[in-house]
């Protein structure tokens, strides 16, 4: 749970960065097509950067805090038992291209 929580927070952080870059690039493309640089565009770029920084600051604060639900969880072992290993192997095998297209082969 902790890993998935940190993973999604990192994904949101990356998405914020990518959205900011796309917005700034689209504004630069609009400015170059118009030939002039307007003060309004500078304000919107500043607003985009400010909004992105506030999102990133929020995500940094979330990732540092540990939710109370996670502290009550007890982890029994770091090893995977035989049944869990079989389940993992079946899942990974089902993701292979041949396994995904096996129904097609059977119907043909």
């Amino acid at each position: 749970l902790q890993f998935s929580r940190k993973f999604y927070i990192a994904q949101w952080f990356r998405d914020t960065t990518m959205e900011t870059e796309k917005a700034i690039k689209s504004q630069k493309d609009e400015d170059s097509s118009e030939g002039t640089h307007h003060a309004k565009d500078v304000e919107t770029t500043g607003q985009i950067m400010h909004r992105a920084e506030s999102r990133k600051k929020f995500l940094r604060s979330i990732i540092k805090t540990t939710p109370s639900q996670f502290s009550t969880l007890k982890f029994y072992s770091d090893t995977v038992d035989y049944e869990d290993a079989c389940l993992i192997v079946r899942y990974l095998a089902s993701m292979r291209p041949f396994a995904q297209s096996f129904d097609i082969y059977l119907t043909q």
Side-chain angles (χ1 to χ4, degrees), residues 17-70:
T17 304
M18 291 177 67
E19 288 173 7
T20 304
E21 290 173 357
K22 285 180 184 178
I24 291 173
K25 184 178 177 182
S26 68
Q27 283 188 350
K28 286 182 181 179
D29 291 342
E30 290 174 4
D31 288 344
S32 64
S33 65
E34 291 176 3
T36 59
H37 191 267
H38 299 288
K40 181 180 177 184
D41 292 336
V42 173
E43 289 176 358
T44 56
T45 303
Q47 290 171 349
I48 291 170
M49 292 299 292
H50 179 67
R51 207 173 326 125
E53 287 304 316
S54 64
R55 287 179 187 168
K56 288 179 181 181
K57 185 178 178 182
F58 174 72
L59 292 172
R60 281 189 211 109
S61 68
I62 287 177
I63 206 162
K64 290 179 184 177
T65 60
T66 305
S68 59
Q69 305 103 323
F70 292 159

Side-chain angles (χ1 to χ4, degrees), residues 3 20 23 27 32 37 51 54 60 76-77 86 94 96 98-100 103:
F3 174 78
T20 304
Q27 283 188 350
S32 64
H37 191 267
R51 207 173 326 125
S54 64
R60 281 189 211 109
Y76 296 107
S77 174
C86 288
S94 71
R96 298 198 61 199
F98 178 75
Q100 291 179 347
D103 288 338

Side-chain angles (χ1 to χ4, degrees), residues 79-104:
T79 59
V80 177
D81 63 352
Y82 182 76
E83 294 166 358
D84 290 339
C86 288
L87 183 64
I88 292 169
V89 168
R90 273 190 250 140
Y91 172 73
L92 292 175
S94 71
M95 300 308 289
R96 298 198 61 199
F98 178 75
Q100 291 179 347
S101 61
F102 194 67
D103 288 338
I104 296 171

